Amino acid sequence: MDNTSFKDKLVAAFQAAEGRLNGKTKSDVHQKRREAIQNFEKLGFPTIKHEEWKYSNVSSLVKQAFDFNVKTEFGPDEIAALEIPNLQGNVLYFINGIYKAELSNIVSPDSQLQILNFGQAIKEMPELLASYFAKYANYQDEAFTALNTAFAHDGVVIHVPAGRVVEEPIILRFITDARTVNAASQPRNLIVVGKNAEVKMAEAFRSLGDNASFTNVVTEIVVEENANVQYYKVQNESDKSYHIGTTQVSQKNNSHFYAVTVTINGGFVRNNLNIVLDGQNCEAFMYGLYFPNGKQHIDNHTLVDHAKPNSYSNELYKGILKDRSTGVFNGKIFVRDHASKTNAYQSCRNIMLSDDASMNTKPQLEIYNDDVKCSHGTTTGKFNDEALFYMRSRGIPKAEAMTLLMYAFCEDVISQIKIDSIRGYLEGLIADKLAQ
């Protein structure tokens, strides 16, 4: 299957499903879907000739045949085997992108939190969707975002009313079941956090089976004035998985956004984290950690857009690469001409454990105001032999010394995770990965 035929198949699938997706009324969601599929048809899939996809070739993805409507039986026993130990809070399960209320557990009261699957929200929250859906994620120029927008029907809409503090975290667990066929899903999530509200949330992705899987997920997060959001993304998928994820964040005055992205495993991973500081006195923190091995490919693209004065951002991404794996980090800081008093910092550090591994880094500053403090930097190198020699001279075996040093390298990212159960779960996964 070539690039064009896969694109045409998806366009045809949209046209066949349009009535089911949009219903009888021509809503705002319907109009955006129509615009999005038209944009996708014009754009097509990106190639390595596109600057933003120069190091991430999707040709193997578009040659695959995927079932976007996999019917699977998934019961409590199978969920129990995948549970994160000691995880408490509002845990929502999605199987092949579809929300499963019977497997989920919502503990916060309605006064703190409103949760609907995307299909329900179209009917029950039309005003909220009209105000926020597809207002931030760029479906005009980004092919995968356009594709997701066109098929937006599964996923979740979360609304935290103004002044509310959600005491328990919200955990979105996405399970792709590829045990019988090549499975694909396109979840669309919208999170709106009202003025003076607070919430902790996480997205966790897992794939099962020996077949290929494709997840194309878009999450839009709106952080209103004085709101505080902690966001975590955890990926532990198979070597045959393809994951294209876009998290689009909009911050208003005096808001605080805090993100940690950890990729343990995944065949082909592209994470887009885009934050627009569209207000004064905003703060944004971004941390990332990735461990590709084998032939895994992990690409982190970040954008921090300082659109208003007096804002602050700080970004730290770290990677450990081995075997024939590849990594990509492309981080852009954009400061608009009227965004004076901006402080923005970015750093990417990588350790190469193999001569066959490769890392492509591209830090960028695009600044149109002189009254700012901005910096970026990147390092890529081999293991610190002096530190290893020091530990071995104290009687620590080489394998254990290397694991300890690598874990210390990761610690200043892992320590940023404020949900204890998720941090503990990741510490175990990372220890296993580093010991391989």
Side-chain angles (χ1 to χ4, degrees), residues 226-246:
N226 297 296
N228 188 314
V229 176
Q230 294 181 28
Y231 167 82
Y232 308 103
K233 184 174 184 178
V234 178
Q235 296 164 301
N236 188 20
E237 300 180 272
S238 76
D239 286 345
K240 293 185 178 180
S241 67
Y242 297 87
H243 182 110
I244 311 291
T246 296

Side-chain angles (χ1 to χ4, degrees), residues 325-382:
S325 65
T326 57
V328 181
F329 175 80
N330 189 320
K332 178 181 284 189
I333 296 172
F334 190 93
V335 181
R336 298 183 185 272
D337 56 359
H338 50 272
S340 59
K341 307 298 182 183
T342 288
N343 290 336
Y345 307 98
Q346 179 192 101
S347 179
C348 177
R349 304 172 190 172
N350 303 283
I351 293 177
M352 313 298 286
L353 299 180
S354 166
D355 291 336
D356 295 323
S358 63
M359 183 71 203
N360 302 284
T361 60
K362 187 180 178 183
Q364 297 173 271
L365 296 178
E366 197 166 330
I367 302 171
Y368 298 95
N369 190 292
D370 293 332
D371 189 14
V372 300
K373 292 181 180 179
C374 299
S375 68
H376 64 183
T378 179
T379 60
T380 299
K382 294 189 175 182

Side-chain angles (χ1 to χ4, degrees), residues 29-46:
V29 172
H30 168 76
Q31 295 303 326
K32 288 188 173 68
R33 283 174 174 155
R34 292 288 299 273
E35 293 172 15
I37 199 65
Q38 291 169 5
N39 291 336
F40 172 71
E41 195 168 9
K42 292 176 185 176
L43 293 166
F45 288 105

Side-chain angles (χ1 to χ4, degrees), residues 53 56 203 205 215 217 231 233-235 237 243-247 260-265 268-274 288-290 297-303 317 328-330:
W53 292 85
S56 293
E203 293 179 320
F205 295 86
T215 301
V217 57
Y231 167 82
K233 184 174 184 178
V234 178
Q235 296 164 301
E237 300 180 272
H243 182 110
I244 311 291
T246 296
T247 303
V260 183
T261 302
V262 180
T263 306
I264 302 294
N265 285 299
F268 181 99
V269 176
R270 168 66 174 250
N271 291 318
N272 301 309
L273 176 56
N274 306 318
L289 197 57
Y290 41 95
H297 176 92
I298 298 176
D299 179 348
N300 284 289
H301 263 61
T302 66
L303 169 66
Y317 273 68
V328 181
F329 175 80
N330 189 320

Side-chain angles (χ1 to χ4, degrees), residues 419-429:
I419 300 176
D420 292 343
S421 55
I422 292 180
R423 186 177 65 251
Y425 169 72
L426 284 174
E427 287 174 343
L429 291 178

Side-chain angles (χ1 to χ4, degrees), residues 128-190:
L128 185 76
L129 290 182
S131 298
Y132 296 108
F133 170 66
K135 297 285 188 180
Y136 308 98
N138 181 8
Y139 68 88
Q140 290 81 12
D141 303 309
E142 301 292 341
F144 285 102
T145 301
L147 181 62
N148 176 282
T149 303
F151 285 92
H153 186 264
D154 298 315
V156 69
V157 175
I158 297 173
H159 179 220
V160 181
R164 303 297 184 182
V165 176
V166 182
E167 297 175 0
E168 298 291 342
I170 305 168
I171 315 296
L172 311 182
R173 299 212 60 197
F174 295 91
I175 311 296
T176 300
D177 185 358
R179 291 176 293 183
T180 57
V181 296
N182 290 355
S185 62
Q186 300 196 84
R188 182 58 173 250
N189 306 313
L190 172 63

